[in-house]
Amino acid sequence: MKLAPVLLAAALALPSAAVARPKDAAIDAYVAQAMAKAGSQGLALAVIDDGRVAYVKTYGKRNAQGDPLTPDTVMYGASLTKAVFAWTVLQMVDDGLLDLDRPIAEYLPRPLPEYVGQANRYSAWDTLSDERWRKITPRILLTHSGGFANFYWLEPDRKLHIHFDPGSRYAYSGDGLMLLQFAIEQGLGLDLGLEMQRRVFDRYGMKTSSVIWRPDFATNLADGWDKDGKPEPHDQRGKVRAAGSLDTTINDFARFSAAVASGEGLSPKMRAEFAKAQLPITTATQFPPLQDELPPAARKKGLAAGLGVVTFEGPQGRGFFKGGHNDVTGNTWACVDKTRDCVVLLSNDVRSETVYADLVRFILGDAGAPYDWEYGDQAGK
């Protein structure tokens, strides 16, 4: 479906500098046409303006029975978990519990490969024979530069391998985040689920968010739709996983986004580290993670790993973003640091991702979020 002329003209007329937020009615009309174009069944949106929640709205259905998606519907956060985890870790750094540059080997009571039988809870540490694991630090893991595949079970031999010197390049890895969780829980004796509850969900009034399944979520829960339009029930995740076990609502994640935009909960130093360009990203797209690096001249200028997020340089200055995805979930969160403006999009229909680049640009203006890198050939299609 083509955009109505007035909306299309508005989209094309967006200037490259920061722009005033579109009126709520214009956002609603744009979302409706974007969802129709994508074939999306459900989408939730939040707009953060100068560090404050300015608009929250939901559209469509939460399940195949046709129940409406509401601002308090529980939705799967997927890899947005990683950003919330990073924010939690940086609070621990502020409190002196962790050092971003201290090797995780110094936190663990035993060498990592001696931890047998951890694959179901964390990862297959006992299959790792590469001593370079001793060089890995929390900063390396939060910048996805530990050298691992996304998950060990994707390796041909289903073993954990280090594919490049830790810290030398970006390659998206859920196992890397799980290693940091393991170091926190085994080395510091902390329960990550309780830490995230106390430091994030309780702190910011996120009453319907958790990194482990809660039975009360079932009363207003979003199922999902895959790329073929087939519905699938919500997965009840019974383990805390830093790589992706977050359940949340658009109301709750809007509160988190506002806190991050305004820096609430972190020292100025750690807030700066969160969105700082820590490590240049050198690949054409995010997936597959272990793809070859591009020649220097072909790399996307300004694209870099932050801590739990990806940073970019755009017409409005530095920004950061993070996605979250599975077969029936498509989420994105994009912010402009200087103006403290953000857009959050949560969808229980993975087809929504095809219109995210346009939606974010319509609301934020031309911020420069690199969705062609995030989604590859699917960006804007």
Side-chain angles (χ1 to χ4, degrees):
M1 176 180 289
K2 294 183 178 180
L3 292 175
V6 64
L7 293 177
L8 182 59
L12 294 176
L14 289 172
S16 59
V19 296
R21 179 171 65 85
K23 299 294 185 182
D24 296 349
I27 293 175
D28 291 345
Y30 198 100
V31 168
Q33 295 197 56
M35 289 179 67
K37 177 182 177 182
S40 172
Q41 296 295 308
L43 188 144
L45 172 147
V47 179
I48 311 304
D49 189 347
D50 192 23
R52 297 183 296 272
V53 178
Y55 191 55
V56 174
K57 189 69 178 288
T58 52
Y59 313 85
K61 301 180 291 188
R62 68 178 176 91
N63 56 28
Q65 289 72 44
D67 294 321
L69 188 68
T70 74
D72 291 316
T73 295
V74 176
M75 306 179 75
Y76 179 41
S79 284
L80 292 180
T81 313
K82 295 177 173 69
V84 181
F85 173 57
W87 196 255
T88 304
V89 168
L90 292 178
Q91 288 187 25
M92 293 179 178
V93 174
D94 269 338
D95 290 347
L97 297 173
L98 282 170
D99 185 320
L100 285 173
D101 298 307
R102 182 183 176 189
I104 58 105
E106 296 182 15
Y107 291 100
L108 293 174
R110 306 198 307 272
L112 186 61
E114 291 185 10
Y115 290 91
V116 178
Q118 300 295 319
N120 186 51
R121 179 68 181 86
Y122 299 100
S123 187
W125 313 131
D126 54 318
T127 67
L128 182 63
S129 59
D130 193 324
E131 283 295 300
R132 288 181 293 179
W133 75 268
R134 296 180 180 277
K135 301 178 181 179
I136 294 174
T137 65
R139 188 189 304 273
I140 286 172
L141 296 173
L142 290 175
T143 55
H144 292 275
S145 57
F148 305 119
N150 194 359
F151 293 104
Y152 77 91
W153 64 77
L154 300 174
E155 297 276 18
D157 60 1
R158 296 180 63 85
K159 293 182 179 180
L160 198 63
H161 297 279
I162 296 176
H163 291 269
F164 50 81
D165 284 341
S168 65
R169 59 162 287 192
Y170 178 101
Y172 195 83
S173 177
D175 270 343
L177 276 292
M178 294 307 300
L179 178 53
L180 184 50
Q181 176 182 345
F182 187 71
I184 288 169
E185 295 191 330
Q186 297 297 317
L188 300 181
L190 299 174
D191 181 312
L192 180 64
L194 294 179
E195 290 298 314
M196 294 178 74
Q197 184 68 45
R198 177 174 68 88
R199 294 176 178 273
V200 178
F201 307 140
D202 291 346
R203 180 170 201 154
Y204 304 127
M206 300 168 68
K207 296 181 180 179
T208 319
S209 295
S210 176
V211 282
I212 193 167
W213 173 256
R214 284 173 21 192
D216 62 297
F217 287 170
T219 60
N220 188 358
L221 186 66
D223 296 331
W225 282 269
D226 68 15
K227 63 182 179 60
D228 298 318
K230 180 182 177 182
E232 181 178 306
H234 190 101
D235 187 3
Q236 300 181 10
R237 291 165 175 83
K239 299 183 182 70
V240 175
R241 291 184 62 81
S245 65
L246 174 67
D247 280 320
T248 191
T249 70
I250 192 63
N251 268 339
D252 278 3
F253 206 87
R255 294 184 181 97
F256 175 70
S257 182
V260 172
S262 60
E264 181 186 350
L266 285 185
S267 67
K269 179 180 179 181
M270 284 300 105
R271 174 57 179 81
E273 289 288 338
F274 177 77
K276 175 183 173 182
Q278 303 275 341
L279 180 71
I281 291 176
T282 58
T283 53
T285 56
Q286 180 157 228
F287 295 101
L290 294 170
Q291 65 186 270
D292 292 339
E293 296 179 281
L294 292 170
R299 297 170 185 173
K300 187 176 289 293
K301 186 177 180 181
L303 183 64
L307 298 179
V309 294
V310 169
T311 72
F312 57 89
E313 294 291 339
Q316 300 178 46
R318 176 167 295 165
F320 61 88
F321 80 143
K322 183 72 189 80
H325 170 104
N326 71 2
D327 288 344
V328 295
T329 300
N331 303 325
T332 194
W333 172 42
C335 297
V336 177
D337 235 7
K338 183 177 180 180
T339 59
R340 308 196 305 174
D341 295 338
C342 303
V343 175
V344 183
L345 297 167
L346 308 180
S347 181
N348 57 330
D349 189 326
V350 73
R351 294 170 293 184
S352 298
E353 291 182 319
T354 61
V355 294
Y356 277 179
D358 291 337
L359 276 170
V360 170
R361 187 176 188 275
F362 182 75
I363 297 167
L364 284 184
D366 185 8
Y371 283 102
D372 54 340
W373 174 81
E374 171 83 0
Y375 295 128
D377 291 340
Q378 293 301 310
K381 301 250 182 108

